[in-house]
């Protein structure tokens, strides 16, 4: 039985192997996804983002356990910063969710960003598809948590959950112009700390400024470490899913995300083709030197590199 057939039958090892192959950019993995793509679209993707230290991993852990009580099969993709030395993920969310790793109904994978700026791994889209084919009901994608660049999660998730903590103060002002706008639901974690009510008020006031949204994101106070209000938060996620399905917004959102994915895939392939050709002819080195010596400007150098495409057309 090949790896694709095993994946369709819910083989956990086949799932892990295929994600690794995607991370390594193996063509065989792409071919398998092409063949099995018709089996995607059943899993619901929840993106979990927020500042570092807000407790995203603990909250993901508790939400997963609540969904497991409801009989759902879960996939978790935890995006970690990448070690500059080994290229591997350095936080290791699987350690923090070690008891979940023993649950046959949960699949957990830590993935390094590998230089991707959006707080997301380049292979995240593919990994989500693999988990979908594997047969999970819900996929959690937990991002690195590094500020404005987190907006990448909105290109993949059906529902985006923003995790905040009390006493961020000026940090809310700093990030609200960016990642605050992508959230469908706000969770104020560690709500037993002083300042939780103030943080909720600040978020609500910020939401008041945006009157263009048809759906006002709810703000839920939770304590993941104490397992408080997790069921209430999950209910809000389900409510948002219901809203998206009822209004047709889920189809629109997934269509937009698919469009962005196609563009990204084309960009990557074109870049690889051009750069391979440029390196082969030592073009980049020569152009860089010419620009440095002021014999050429960077824009003309760009045109020379893009000229490689015209050579192929010819």
């Amino acid at each position: 039985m090949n790896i694709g057939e095993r994946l369709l039958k819910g083989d956990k090892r086949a799932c892990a192997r295929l994600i690794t192959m995607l991370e390594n950019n193996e063509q065989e993995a792409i071919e398998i996804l092409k063949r099995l793509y018709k089996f995607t679209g059943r899993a619901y993707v929840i993106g979990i983002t927020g500042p570092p230290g807000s407790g995203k991993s603990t909250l993901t852990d508790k939400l997963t356990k609540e969904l497991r009580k409801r009989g759902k099969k879960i996939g978790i993709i935890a995006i970690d910063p990448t070690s500059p030395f080994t290229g591997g993920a350095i936080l290791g969310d699987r350690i923090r969710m070690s008891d979940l790793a023993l649950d046959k109904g949960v699949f957990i994978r830590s993935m390094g960003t590998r230089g991707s700026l959006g707080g997301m791994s380049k292979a995240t889209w593919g990994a989500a598809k693999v988990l979908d084919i594997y047969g999970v009901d819900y996929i959690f994608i937990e991002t690195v948590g590094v500020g404005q660049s987190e907006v990448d999660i909105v290109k993949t998730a059906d529902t985006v959950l923003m995790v905040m903590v009390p006493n961020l103060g000026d940090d809310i002002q700093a990030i609200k112009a960016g990642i605050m706008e992508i959230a469908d639901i706000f969770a104020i974690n560690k709500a037993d700390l002083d300042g939780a009510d103030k943080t909720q008020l600040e978020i609500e006031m910020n939401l008041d400024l945006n009157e263009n949204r048809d759906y006002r994101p709810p703000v839920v106070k939770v304590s993941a470490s104490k397992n408080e209000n997790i069921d209430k938060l999950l209910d809000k996620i389900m409510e948002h899913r219901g809203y998206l399905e009822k209004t047709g917004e889920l189809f629109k959102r997934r269509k937009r995300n698919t469009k962005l994915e196609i563009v990204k895939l084309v960009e990557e392939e074109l870049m690889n083709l051009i750069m391979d050709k440029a390196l082969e002819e030592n073009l980049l080195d020569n152009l860089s030197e010419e620009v440095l010596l002021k014999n050429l400007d960077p824009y003309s150098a760009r045109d020379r590199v893009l000229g490689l495409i015209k050579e192929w057309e010819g």
Side-chain angles (χ1 to χ4, degrees):
M1 194 183 296
N2 65 42
I3 194 167
E5 291 170 347
R6 285 166 51 205
L7 184 69
L8 280 171
K9 290 184 179 294
D11 186 320
K12 214 168 190 176
R13 285 188 178 181
C15 185
R17 174 72 186 123
L18 193 52
I19 291 174
T20 299
M21 289 165 70
L22 280 170
E23 285 189 294
N24 294 333
N25 210 22
E26 293 181 30
Q27 188 57 37
E28 185 188 348
I30 304 296
E31 294 303 321
I32 292 169
L33 276 188
K34 283 181 183 178
R35 197 165 65 247
L36 301 181
Y37 186 76
K38 60 189 174 186
F39 297 106
T40 64
R42 296 173 292 188
Y44 193 79
V45 182
I46 301 164
I48 298 190
T49 188
S54 55
K56 297 186 293 293
S57 294
T58 308
L59 193 56
T60 303
D61 177 88
K62 294 298 191 288
L63 284 168
T64 299
K65 286 172 180 170
E66 186 62 33
L67 277 168
R68 290 293 292 137
K69 286 180 194 172
R70 302 182 189 190
K72 303 299 180 185
K73 190 175 177 181
I74 313 298
I76 300 170
I77 302 172
I79 311 296
D80 282 343
T82 301
S83 164
F85 303 105
T86 65
I90 59 176
L91 285 185
D93 289 76
R94 283 172 289 183
I95 297 168
R96 284 172 279 180
M97 303 177 192
S98 54
D99 54 336
L100 277 182
L102 302 173
D103 187 334
K104 290 182 179 179
V106 179
F107 182 98
I108 304 172
R109 181 60 171 253
S110 289
M111 301 178 78
T113 51
R114 299 196 180 190
S116 180
L117 290 176
M120 298 273 288
S121 165
K122 182 181 169 185
T124 302
W125 266 314
K129 288 179 183 58
V130 172
L131 286 169
D132 200 348
I133 297 163
Y134 169 65
V136 301
D137 300 298
Y138 288 88
I139 299 170
F140 286 105
I141 299 177
E142 182 204 326
T143 64
V144 176
V146 288
Q148 298 272 355
S149 61
E150 292 294 80
V151 294
D152 253 20
I153 188 66
V154 82
K155 300 172 187 173
T156 309
D158 297 318
T159 293
V160 177
L161 172 64
M162 174 73 66
V163 186
M164 307 294 279
V165 284
N167 306 316
L168 277 178
D170 291 341
D171 288 350
I172 283 191
Q173 302 303 317
I175 66 175
K176 72 179 181 184
I179 57 175
M180 291 280 282
E181 293 176 5
I182 68 169
D184 298 304
I185 300 164
F186 289 93
I188 301 173
N189 194 20
K190 307 178 185 178
D192 49 320
L193 298 177
D194 290 340
D197 291 337
K198 182 173 179 286
T199 301
Q200 182 173 14
L201 181 63
E202 285 177 340
I203 294 170
E204 296 281 9
M205 286 172 67
N206 187 50
L207 292 172
D208 288 339
L209 298 174
N210 190 351
E211 297 175 353
N212 300 324
R213 297 181 75 150
D214 295 325
Y215 184 90
R216 182 186 173 94
V219 184
V220 186
K221 289 191 291 184
V222 301
S223 177
S225 60
K226 296 183 177 180
N227 211 25
E228 291 174 359
N229 270 355
I230 303 301
D231 53 345
K232 183 180 175 183
L233 178 59
L234 191 55
D235 288 343
K236 291 297 179 185
I237 293 172
M238 298 305 170
E239 280 178 27
H240 184 249
R241 179 178 185 173
Y243 161 78
L244 292 178
E245 291 173 341
K246 184 180 175 183
T247 59
E249 282 298 318
L250 183 60
F251 180 82
K252 288 181 189 175
R253 190 172 281 209
R254 287 184 172 181
K255 183 180 177 183
R256 178 203 66 196
N257 290 351
T258 302
K259 185 178 176 182
L260 289 167
E261 182 184 8
I262 293 168
V263 169
K264 188 77 174 171
L265 289 170
V266 171
E267 277 178 2
E268 283 178 8
E269 195 59 29
L270 276 175
M271 179 62 79
N272 288 338
L273 287 168
I274 292 171
M275 297 318 292
D276 285 350
K277 183 74 172 170
L279 289 170
E280 183 184 309
E281 298 180 4
N282 214 26
L283 184 62
L284 273 184
D285 269 352
N286 295 335
L287 287 174
S288 301
E289 195 168 313
E290 290 296 301
V291 170
L292 194 61
L293 294 170
K294 304 297 184 290
N295 296 329
L296 196 66
D297 62 89
Y299 308 101
S300 299
R302 172 202 62 191
D303 295 340
R304 291 270 295 277
V305 173
L306 291 174
L308 293 171
I309 297 175
K310 290 175 183 172
E311 287 179 25
W312 295 325
E313 288 175 348

